[in-house]
Amino acid sequence: MLNKIKNIFYNNLYTISLYSRQIAGTLILFIIARYLTVYDYGLFSSYKNIVTFCFMFANLGFSDYILVSSQANVKKVKLKISLFLLNAIIIGVVIALGSIFFKLDSHILFFLVVVRTFFDGTFFTLILPYFQATKTFNTIAKINIIYAICISIIALISYIFRLSLYKFLLLNIILGLINFIQCSYFAKINYLLVFNYLKRFCEMIDKSIWAYMGVTIAYFLYAQIPSLYVSTYLSKEDAALYFSAFTIAAIIGLLIAAQTQKMMPDLINNNIENIKIIIKRNLIFILIITVGLFLFMVLFGKLLLLLLYGQNYYSGAYPILLILMLGNICVAEAAVYGAYITASGNQKKKIPMQLEATCLTILGLFILHKFGIYGAALAFLFAAIYVSYRYTSFTLKMLKEKTDSNYL
């Protein structure tokens, strides 16, 4: 029995590590919110959201493109990773320097958020295809778990000693730099080769990349416009309320990332019957977990907000939490079918669907903007429902056509 439990744990170590890393990243937000003022937490959350949106241009679906376009060939994957990571670094520098021309409450804080976001999110996403291609999931799993433990320790130290937001970010950046060096060394990524053979590297990029870029831009537009609206147009106190709910609702996003990253290699060059089984298995798993989480939030969401953030003010985010949870459940369902759309080389088919959802988001904000953060949350929910319907119907139709062609 013990050996069986060990085998289950070992076989699912990568999935567990993704949860641990992402959950740790979420928990530290709860921890620092307990001692920061509502204004400071709102300022940090707003900057974090703006920077995440800007870094979209550093990863316009490039992680999926690297894996799929290279057909999981390790050598090609490594070469493309080095090119896109250097591109991400350049974009990070542009974001940081470009902020000088905008009126911000704290330019230094914004700069630190830029650097932290690169190490904590963009870098990991772009180097992930190496571990997917080599299927060394347990190696990256160990790195993730150690990273999760370390950022949790940093958050606890910051809480105990009431460290300023600046010191908290600096400690995270130091850890991120160590992780950057460690992963780059393990994957043997040679960034200098890009400078020496820039033209040759660029020639490796084929026109299919435009589909990945278009899909990512369209996704960020419909998914992030409400958050950007809250970050830029509403008060920092309202932003703190919205993002307190947003952070908890994002737990579903952790599930999406873990499942789609792990199922993607299995969907490439597989037969149609196996693909159906993979999709069905992952869909059932995701729906059971997400619906269970939603019911938990219905019962205990208000109490959870109070316990996690430690201030009565945040309990007012309960209705927003439920709305965002429903939206993310729809996104999770769509992500399973979307993974196959990507793996089958039909990434460009996502673009019109997501642009339609973007128009729906903008329309929703236009109609509901007077309701503040409630209007933003509802606009996201409507777009998520639409995307879920479009992805599902498109994928089921495509699977049926391929099944029918196999019988001809």
Side-chain angles (χ1 to χ4, degrees), residues 129-145:
Y130 168 79
F131 297 97
Q132 289 176 303
T134 57
K135 295 191 176 180
T136 52
F137 289 109
N138 284 345
T139 300
I140 191 62
K142 293 172 185 175
I143 293 173
N144 284 337
I145 291 171

Side-chain angles (χ1 to χ4, degrees), residues 341-356:
I341 296 173
T342 299
S344 62
N346 288 285
Q347 185 78 343
K348 63 182 179 181
K349 301 292 186 179
K350 291 181 179 179
I351 297 176
M353 302 183 223
Q354 293 188 346
L355 288 177
E356 291 161 11

Side-chain angles (χ1 to χ4, degrees), residues 46 225-246 305 313-324 364-365 368-381:
S46 297
I225 282 177
S227 297
L228 283 174
Y229 166 74
V230 172
S231 299
T232 54
Y233 286 100
L234 300 184
S235 69
K236 293 298 179 282
E237 288 76 15
D238 280 345
L241 202 64
Y242 181 87
F243 287 113
S244 64
F246 184 91
L305 284 162
Y313 178 79
Y314 290 106
S315 62
Y318 175 68
I320 301 298
L321 173 61
L322 297 184
I323 296 171
L324 293 178
L365 276 176
L368 302 170
H369 72 278
K370 291 184 179 180
F371 295 96
I373 56 177
Y374 290 93
L378 287 170
F380 167 71
L381 173 60

Side-chain angles (χ1 to χ4, degrees), residues 92-306:
V93 172
V94 171
I95 294 170
L97 294 178
S99 67
I100 297 172
F101 302 99
F102 294 89
K103 185 179 179 181
L104 300 174
D105 290 18
S106 174
H107 288 280
I108 296 175
L109 179 62
F110 187 85
F111 172 78
L112 293 176
V113 171
V114 170
V115 180
R116 178 184 181 271
T117 302
F118 169 77
F119 285 133
D120 191 58
T122 307
F123 165 71
F124 174 74
T125 304
L126 288 175
I127 204 167
L128 180 62
Y130 168 79
F131 297 97
Q132 289 176 303
T134 57
K135 295 191 176 180
T136 52
F137 289 109
N138 284 345
T139 300
I140 191 62
K142 293 172 185 175
I143 293 173
N144 284 337
I145 291 171
I146 293 172
Y147 183 87
I149 293 171
C150 289
I151 61 173
S152 299
I153 292 172
I154 289 172
L156 288 173
I157 291 172
S158 300
Y159 176 72
I160 293 169
F161 294 100
R162 294 297 193 269
L163 298 182
S164 68
L165 193 52
Y166 298 95
K167 291 179 181 178
F168 165 76
L169 290 172
L170 281 171
L171 289 174
N172 275 266
I173 288 169
I174 292 170
L175 176 63
L177 179 61
I178 293 171
N179 187 53
F180 175 86
I181 294 170
Q182 180 186 19
C183 290
S184 297
Y185 175 78
F186 181 85
K188 295 181 174 59
I189 304 297
N190 190 339
Y191 300 102
L192 295 178
L193 279 177
V194 180
F195 292 108
N196 295 333
Y197 305 100
L198 182 60
K199 184 178 179 181
R200 190 179 301 176
F201 271 72
C202 291
E203 288 174 350
M204 291 190 301
I205 310 303
D206 58 79
K207 63 181 182 180
S208 68
I209 193 173
W210 294 107
Y212 291 85
M213 294 172 67
V215 167
T216 304
I217 291 173
Y219 167 75
F220 267 89
L221 286 175
Y222 92 77
Q224 296 296 324
I225 282 177
S227 297
L228 283 174
Y229 166 74
V230 172
S231 299
T232 54
Y233 286 100
L234 300 184
S235 69
K236 293 298 179 282
E237 288 76 15
D238 280 345
L241 202 64
Y242 181 87
F243 287 113
S244 64
F246 184 91
T247 301
I248 297 176
I251 290 173
I252 291 178
L254 314 183
L255 179 65
I256 298 171
Q259 291 304 116
T260 56
Q261 287 170 10
K262 194 151 190 190
M263 68 186 284
M264 182 71 77
D266 295 330
L267 293 174
I268 298 175
N269 295 328
N270 208 334
N271 67 68
I272 196 67
E273 294 306 319
N274 285 339
I275 286 171
K276 285 182 178 180
I277 293 171
I278 293 168
I279 291 174
K280 183 179 180 180
R281 183 174 66 242
N282 282 274
L283 184 63
I284 292 172
F285 176 76
I286 280 182
L287 288 179
I288 290 174
I289 299 297
T290 54
V291 172
L293 282 171
F294 177 75
L295 293 176
F296 177 84
M297 294 303 173
V298 170
L299 296 173
F300 305 107
K302 186 172 287 189
L303 178 62
L304 187 65
L305 284 162
L306 184 59

